[in-house]
Amino acid sequence: MITKKVSKKDIRKLLTAWNQECNVIVPSRVDGVVGMAAWDNQDISFLDWYRNTVIPPKSCFLPKSEVMMSFKKNENGLKLEVPTGEHWQVIFGVRPCDARANAIIDHVFAVTYDDYYYISKRRNTLLVGLSCTNPYDSCFCTSSNIDPTESEYVDLMFTDIGDDFVIEDFTGGGKALLNMSNTVKKVTRADIDKAKEVKAAAVGQVKKTVDMEDVDRKLRSLFNDRDYWERISAKCISCGICTFLCPTCFCFDINDEMIRKEGARYRGWDSCSFRSYTKMPMENPREEKWRRVRQRVCHKFEFFPMNLGINACVGCGRCIRLCPVNWDITQVIAGLPVEAGVKSGK
Amino acid sequence: MEKELRDQAAKLLEEGTVDFIVGFAAGTLKHTTTPLITGDKDATSSLVINPFISNNLATYALEISGRLGIVAKGCDSRSIVSLIQDKQITRQDIVILGIPCSGLIDLKKVEKLSGKERDEIDDIAVVEDKVVITIGSEKREVTAATVLFDHCLGCELQIPQEYDFLIQGPANEIRDNEASREKIQELKQMFPDQRWAYWKQQFSRCIRCYACRQVCPACFCERCFVEESQPRWVSPVSLWQDNLIFQAVRAIHVAGRCTDCGECERVCPVDIPLRSLSKEMYDLVGEMFDYKTGMNAGAPPLMTAYELTEVESLIR
Amino acid sequence: MIITQIKQRRKELDRGKNVYVPHMVLVDKIIEETPTVRTIHFHFKDTELNNEFTFESGQFAELSVFGVGEATFCISSSPTRNDHWECGINRVGLVTAALHRLGVGAEIGFRGPYGNHFPLDMMAGKKLVFVGGGIGLAPLRSLIWNVLDNRDKYDKIDIVYGARSPGDLCFKYDLDTWEADQSLNTVITVDKGDAKWKGREGFVSEALMDAAPSSRNAVAVVCGPPVMIRSTFPVLEQLGFMPDQVITTLEKRMKCGIGKCGRCNIGNLYVCRDGPVFSYAQIKDFVSDEY
């Protein structure tokens, strides 16, 4: 429910108020690349140009590289130290697609065992969503049943209605953020009506659509069709762009680095698109590219629904926008045979 | 040009001269093309030639088995020749469909110029030596040189030398060496510690997606040095030091094989100016060894042959 | 809702529970099984943990050589002999090479036990057929000693084990003990013998066919390289074993061991979390052929 609003003129004041209590992370352009970075206490021009980031917000919880523990060798043996002290942070400008994606990987990192590094950052983070009114031509969130202006996975949702943002709050944390500043005002009936207009129009802005109905069933019947996958994967070059920029991809690697007596264990992003991802000394089950492309598509659209009941693709379109060869997942999905037969052979 | 290419490609498939045609088709996003790999002669009607055909299709020669008909711009044909020199592919397995090129449009330059992102631009069209950018009802005309890729401005072979078929068409003079090296000259004016700080900042953004390596036809190693663990030359973790070493070593590894096709810089998702490294290396190779990649299929690869008259100052 | 669930976990996190931090263990003994395989015996540095730690046959652990890396090893000792623990290490890469360079007294990291385990409850009262190849004896060994330490719970036992050559046979001290044990039928074979080899020659699948164990009220447990597993399944089928009577362990490259890093998946299952022990009936119905 829309209950409050804040004027665009007051955004700097609001962010400043938040900045007293926690780190405020906002969209920023570094060397021309749009990402999320710590607010510099000044610049709010992102309100004019921000559409979506290149690196998704998952990097705030699962960075491209982080220290898991550091070690020092001394006369008594080995001393292990784990980084501690996560600060409260607020991420401003999370789009509904990324918000749902965050919730999906929140689950992955909390199921059975808690992932200390991810959860300790996540639990100290509040997400402020921002309705998406200027999608890219590669966006297709609506096909994943996401409304670009609604999300149940954020603490606050801001929607731009011209001179103001209207605000919906969903959690105690969100309410607390609103109480930090007197720039947050009550909404009027007119504001709510304008917001409804903006939201309705936003849905129509998402031009790319694809039918995701029954994708998991179609993929299951195609699993052993080597010819199909070889054809589909022909132009892929096996880089890691789609996986690294996907907000629901979470695969990581663990590596140690040591120089003389000091070192650390790092966690970093890894990708099922890389040939060495599943390489074992005696064999590599995914040596061939078509197997890796098959894994990529099936994990997102078949195995995730089998395990979690939800399709893991949120339609953010980053994979399409930044793929070096314009490999387009929506084309693949649309082209899945309706009645796919099972080809013989394993 | 397109009709001639499509007819030729269809003919090659029909006659069984090639198993696959590798060319460009329209992409699913605005101002984009995508590689088309097909054995179906009817699909050749989708082949396109336009100012957005930036992929270097020579990379596919390494993975697709069978006889291939590859559509090649000048730089791509040089990559193919280089792979033949390195005996990675055999000349008889490739049918080169050469196309003349008047330069490709750098969408990042267009975005910077117009202040809009590429999907907000309705049309980008080349009209002789000008480029017309249409946004809504607004049309803006600029000289082609302002929006062509830097590497296109440094082009040394607009029309392929090595080919089986050459599609007829214009190749407008686009060369402007100075403009092509503008970014590199800026870097060369910096003091070493300034330059180091610059590259440290650039490589802090690197996410080790390896797109630069994967698009590059010169990177044909079955197993890249970054994937070795015994010994571990470079950490697989994305730390700026290791990211920098990775690119520095890669630039050295591809020296003499790089044709300045500019793909590495185009595909980088975090806009690291990789060409500033590879182009500098390319020019050094030209200066020190008087060698230009991919101009002579019969010549030995750069680092495998030695002439007595060669420069010796690097041997200490 | 996910955010509330995360808030509830805050208490656990405050207790500093970090699954990725290994426990410290000290190497007690090193046995050179073959030129490339060593068994290390170790115990926990923390005495409380040393007394409390337990696991089930079939589970695995992540051993760390700090500064070099972490790798996956099955625990090859039996939970019935809990005074120390053992892992078999095949030297094939960076971490295993580092583990081979260790001496007695070295300090390494241990994370585990992870994964599921052999279904001892299902096996009780049945005839058991253990089929192993090469280093595949390591997980099997934990199970065999577990069973032998409770011998009267089980019916007839057959052990069929083979390796490429006599030099590749692992755990020879166990093989001698089992061959001498009258309550078992033990068959050892090598693909190709040497001048000194007086035993059987031939593949494990052939030895199994000749041994022809009864499949009535029996369970077969098969551990070894994929090529051996694939050649053993048809033999078991011929002997009358139904898919749900055949158990095996699958191997894939692993890193985290707890179902998070994503790399060990076969279809929608993770070998580290839903395995490594699977029944052949499960495998036949897998959505994926990647094993």
Side-chain angles (χ1 to χ4, degrees):
Chain A
M1 237 185 51
I2 301 175
T3 51
K4 300 278 196 308
K5 70 173 179 186
V6 64
S7 155
K8 277 192 189 161
K9 299 191 273 81
D10 290 330
I11 284 287
R12 194 179 278 115
K13 284 209 196 100
L14 181 64
L15 295 179
T16 307
W18 291 348
N19 222 8
Q20 314 291 344
E21 305 282 337
C22 40
N23 296 337
V24 174
I25 299 179
V26 297
S28 39
R29 261 202 288 239
V30 178
D31 289 318
V33 183
V34 180
M36 290 288 184
W39 188 45
D40 64 357
N41 279 311
Q42 236 329 84
D43 187 17
I44 55 162
S45 66
F46 58 83
L47 293 175
D48 299 321
W49 52 255
Y50 174 57
R51 293 168 81 187
N52 209 351
T53 55
V54 169
I55 309 272
K58 73 175 178 185
S59 62
C60 298
F61 315 115
L62 183 68
K64 63 176 178 152
S65 63
E66 63 177 326
V67 174
M68 296 173 84
M69 60 200 79
S70 55
F71 16 83
K72 270 193 179 67
K73 277 200 173 106
N74 56 32
E75 2 20 87
N76 299 331
L78 198 75
K79 189 165 176 306
L80 281 184
E81 249 177 58
V82 180
T84 53
E86 307 295 348
H87 302 286
W88 274 101
Q89 54 185 15
V90 177
I91 306 180
F92 182 88
V94 180
R95 299 296 188 190
C97 53
D98 292 332
R100 187 207 275 181
N102 266 333
I104 291 174
I105 46 177
D106 285 348
H107 181 88
V108 171
F109 284 98
V111 73
T112 314
Y113 293 96
D114 272 346
D115 185 300
Y116 180 88
Y117 307 96
Y118 184 96
I119 301 288
S120 56
K121 294 184 187 69
R122 182 65 186 89
R123 69 174 184 162
N124 287 326
T125 305
L126 292 170
L127 300 178
V128 177
L130 188 59
S131 284
C132 187
T133 49
N134 188 6
Y136 290 101
D137 60 346
S138 48
C139 289
F140 57 102
C141 60
T142 49
S143 302
S144 295
N145 294 322
I146 293 178
D147 182 324
T149 63
E150 305 274 344
S151 180
E152 44 180 320
Y153 302 113
V154 292
D155 297 280
L156 295 172
M157 177 65 90
F158 279 43
T159 304
D160 185 344
I161 55 165
D163 294 322
D164 303 307
F165 285 106
V166 296
I167 309 173
E168 298 158 77
D169 61 355
F170 301 102
T171 64
K175 283 196 176 62
L177 281 177
L178 294 179
N179 289 337
M180 281 185 198
S181 171
N182 55 12
T183 55
V184 176
K185 311 257 188 287
K186 274 204 161 69
V187 275
T188 66
R189 181 82 243 165
D191 294 328
I192 296 182
D193 289 337
K194 184 78 195 338
K196 279 205 176 76
E197 262 177 52
V198 168
K199 287 187 181 225
V203 176
Q205 298 273 63
V206 179
K207 295 286 187 273
K208 207 178 195 21
T209 56
V210 63
D211 183 8
M212 304 252 224
E213 181 86 31
D214 259 357
V215 176
D216 52 342
R217 191 190 54 77
K218 292 178 191 166
L219 286 172
R220 186 133 54 246
S221 60
L222 271 175
F223 195 85
N224 293 316
D225 191 343
R226 177 176 173 157
D227 289 333
Y228 171 80
W229 289 109
E230 282 193 320
R231 216 174 356 105
I232 291 296
S233 64
K235 67 187 185 189
C236 170
I237 53 165
S238 291
C239 69
I241 287 182
C242 56
T243 49
F244 286 177
L245 302 188
C246 174
T248 53
C249 274
F250 56 83
C251 287
F252 59 86
D253 199 6
I254 301 176
N255 287 294
D256 284 12
E257 298 294 325
M258 193 98 167
I259 298 180
R260 286 179 275 280
K261 294 204 186 308
E262 279 183 37
R265 177 161 291 168
Y266 290 89
R267 168 156 79 186
W269 291 347
D270 206 351
S271 170
C272 60
S273 304
F274 295 149
R275 198 197 294 168
S276 52
Y277 182 67
T278 49
K279 183 168 165 45
M280 291 187 279
M282 298 306 172
E283 51 161 9
N284 185 351
R286 296 193 199 129
E287 175 78 28
E288 302 99 322
K289 182 173 68 172
W290 65 269
R291 292 187 191 273
R292 299 195 293 275
V293 173
R294 177 179 70 174
Q295 155 68 14
R296 173 103 182 82
V297 176
C298 288
H299 186 230
K300 201 64 62 178
F301 293 94
E302 190 196 340
F303 307 148
F304 241 109
M306 282 173 84
N307 289 346
L308 238 64
I310 188 169
N311 190 328
C313 176
V314 296
C316 74
R318 288 181 176 93
C319 56
I320 304 172
R321 191 153 55 98
L322 289 142
C323 174
V325 298
N326 189 217
W327 195 88
D328 190 329
I329 187 66
T330 57
Q331 238 182 2
V332 173
I333 304 277
L336 285 175
V338 174
E339 286 302 330
V342 176
K343 296 280 157 75
S344 65
K346 280 204 172 197
Chain B
M1 289 206 289
E2 277 178 1
K3 176 145 184 5
E4 196 189 333
L5 177 65
R6 290 171 186 168
D7 290 341
Q8 190 57 255
K11 189 153 169 246
L12 287 170
L13 282 174
E14 215 162 0
E15 291 172 353
T17 324
V18 297
D19 301 308
F20 294 100
I21 289 285
V22 182
F24 299 97
T28 60
L29 300 178
K30 283 215 194 114
H31 328 297
T32 312
T33 56
T34 189
L36 174 71
I37 300 165
T38 182
D40 173 12
K41 70 167 173 31
D42 295 323
T44 57
S45 59
S46 323
L47 287 170
V48 298
I49 302 177
N50 61 41
F52 307 106
I53 51 172
S54 18
N55 298 86
N56 187 333
L57 299 176
T59 33
Y60 294 108
L62 294 162
E63 358 177 304
I64 305 177
S65 48
R67 286 189 324 279
L68 302 179
I70 305 187
V71 175
K73 315 184 286 289
C75 43
D76 309 339
S77 72
R78 290 171 65 190
S79 294
I80 295 175
V81 168
S82 179
L83 288 173
I84 293 168
Q85 282 175 268
D86 270 317
K87 298 198 173 14
Q88 292 298 309
I89 58 180
T90 11
R91 183 67 183 88
Q92 294 87 287
D93 287 341
I94 307 280
V95 173
I96 303 177
L97 292 152
I99 54 175
C101 180
S102 305
L104 303 175
I105 293 179
D106 184 354
L107 290 174
K108 288 181 196 155
K109 283 192 182 175
V110 176
E111 286 177 332
K112 216 165 163 199
L113 203 70
S114 62
K116 289 266 179 220
E117 293 198 60
R118 61 195 67 178
D119 62 326
E120 295 172 310
I121 299 171
D122 292 307
D123 190 51
I124 307 174
V126 174
V127 180
E128 280 167 30
D129 65 336
K130 300 263 187 298
V131 171
V132 179
I133 303 169
T134 312
I135 303 175
S137 53
E138 246 185 67
K139 276 196 201 300
R140 183 175 170 175
E141 207 181 77
V142 294
T143 46
T146 30
V147 291
L148 292 181
F149 279 106
D150 283 344
H151 63 268
C152 293
L153 297 173
C155 185
E156 291 178 316
L157 192 72
Q158 286 181 252
I159 303 178
Q161 259 176 3
E162 178 84 24
Y163 55 81
D164 293 287
F165 301 94
L166 183 63
I167 309 297
Q168 295 308 308
N172 304 332
E173 183 61 53
I174 51 174
R175 192 144 175 203
D176 183 348
N177 260 332
E178 243 182 71
S180 163
R181 283 185 56 87
E182 212 179 292
K183 269 207 227 147
I184 297 171
Q185 282 309 113
E186 271 175 39
L187 282 167
K188 292 188 100 155
Q189 315 289 16
M190 291 185 191
F191 289 115
D193 53 345
Q194 281 177 301
R195 216 183 300 156
W196 185 251
Y198 173 83
W199 285 116
K200 177 177 172 180
Q201 188 183 324
Q202 298 301 315
F203 284 113
S204 300
R205 279 203 311 286
C206 174
I207 57 176
R208 298 289 278 275
C209 66
Y210 300 119
C212 49
R213 178 188 76 180
Q214 299 296 119
V215 280
C216 179
C219 274
F220 52 74
C221 289
E222 277 291 311
R223 190 151 158 186
C224 179
F225 75 99
V226 294
E227 284 155 17
E228 293 295 333
S229 60
Q230 293 187 92
R232 181 151 269 165
W233 304 110
V234 171
S235 175
V237 185
S238 172
L239 303 167
W240 73 265
Q241 300 94 323
D242 293 88
N243 301 341
L244 192 151
I245 297 283
F246 164 56
Q247 279 304 333
V249 175
R250 196 177 90 81
I252 294 170
H253 282 184
V254 304
R257 302 183 168 93
C258 169
T259 62
D260 198 23
C261 72
E263 276 290 273
C264 51
E265 186 169 295
R266 179 187 72 89
V267 302
C268 179
V270 292
D271 290 4
I272 297 176
L274 295 171
R275 186 182 166 262
S276 301
L277 291 173
S278 54
K279 169 68 170 163
E280 176 64 4
M281 179 61 81
Y282 177 97
D283 287 338
L284 276 172
V285 163
E287 266 172 49
M288 288 181 6
F289 302 101
D290 192 20
Y291 181 85
K292 297 250 182 258
T293 312
M295 295 301 204
N296 177 359
L302 175 68
M303 296 300 175
T304 62
Y306 171 67
E307 299 284 324
L308 286 171
T309 47
E310 264 180 29
V311 57
E312 290 191 345
S313 55
L314 18 123
I315 304 171
R316 304 202 193 184
Chain C
M1 230 205 69
I2 305 288
I3 296 178
T4 11
Q5 283 173 312
I6 290 167
K7 285 190 179 144
Q8 279 164 6
R9 284 196 182 78
R10 198 181 287 194
K11 289 205 194 83
E12 284 171 25
L13 285 173
D14 283 337
R15 275 191 267 134
K17 190 164 176 280
N18 183 346
V19 158
Y20 292 103
V21 178
H23 301 289
M24 300 305 231
V25 300
L26 290 170
V27 176
D28 298 320
K29 189 170 165 188
I30 299 171
I31 302 175
E32 288 195 32
E33 309 282 351
T34 80
T36 54
V37 178
R38 286 189 179 198
T39 298
I40 55 169
H41 292 209
F42 55 88
H43 69 273
F44 291 91
K45 243 180 132 175
D46 179 276
T47 34
E48 204 184 305
L49 185 57
N50 214 31
N51 294 332
E52 289 179 354
F53 182 80
T54 186
F55 69 101
E56 308 270 1
S57 293
Q59 291 193 300
F60 65 92
E62 296 277 341
L63 296 180
S64 298
V65 179
F66 294 103
V68 179
E70 227 182 8
T72 309
F73 303 96
C74 74
I75 306 174
S76 54
S77 53
S78 168
T80 49
R81 300 165 183 219
N82 235 11
D83 55 338
H84 70 275
W85 298 274
E86 301 171 27
C87 283
I89 321 258
N90 191 5
R91 178 171 48 82
V92 290
L94 182 66
V95 177
T96 47
L99 283 165
H100 270 229
R101 285 195 293 269
L102 296 176
V104 171
E107 200 175 327
I108 56 177
F110 175 100
R111 283 198 298 121
Y114 297 138
N116 65 357
H117 53 89
F118 291 113
L120 283 175
D121 295 335
M122 183 271 250
M123 290 158 62
K126 301 210 169 107
K127 296 198 219 24
L128 304 176
V129 181
F130 298 112
V131 187
I135 182 102
L137 188 54
L140 215 46
R141 174 180 183 270
S142 169
L143 179 61
I144 294 176
W145 279 117
N146 199 340
V147 160
L148 291 180
D149 286 343
N150 293 295
R151 184 67 185 87
D152 48 355
K153 277 206 187 139
Y154 309 95
D155 198 341
K156 199 165 166 310
I157 294 180
D158 284 86
I159 301 177
V160 180
Y161 173 65
R164 268 201 305 267
S165 70
D168 290 309
L169 291 168
C170 296
F171 308 109
K172 295 192 199 47
Y173 38 87
D174 287 334
L175 298 178
D176 292 339
T177 315
W178 297 333
E179 272 183 314
D181 186 338
Q182 298 301 323
S183 75
L184 323 165
N185 173 29
T186 309
V187 179
I188 313 290
T189 179
V190 294
D191 292 356
K192 193 160 169 30
D194 59 15
K196 288 200 277 202
W197 180 251
K198 291 188 187 48
R200 218 200 123 98
E201 269 189 42
F203 295 130
V204 167
S205 47
E206 293 163 6
L208 176 62
M209 201 62 194
D210 290 344
S214 162
S215 61
R216 201 133 49 90
N217 199 33
V219 174
V221 186
V222 185
C223 291
V227 63
M228 190 216 94
I229 293 185
R230 282 186 200 271
S231 59
T232 307
F233 282 162
V235 174
L236 288 169
E237 224 173 330
Q238 258 191 295
L239 291 171
F241 281 81
M242 300 301 286
D244 57 358
Q245 287 175 272
V246 179
I247 314 268
T248 186
T249 52
L250 293 180
E251 195 190 337
K252 280 209 97 165
R253 182 171 173 162
M254 285 188 208
K255 212 65 210 237
C256 68
I258 55 174
K260 301 244 182 273
C261 75
R263 118 201 311 95
C264 68
N265 81 306
I266 299 178
N268 66 315
L269 301 177
Y270 288 125
V271 174
C272 68
R273 191 188 59 188
D274 307 298
V277 176
F278 293 98
S279 77
Y280 186 44
Q282 268 181 296
I283 295 180
K284 281 189 109 178
D285 291 332
F286 268 176
V287 296
S288 160
D289 59 357
E290 293 176 334
Y291 58 88

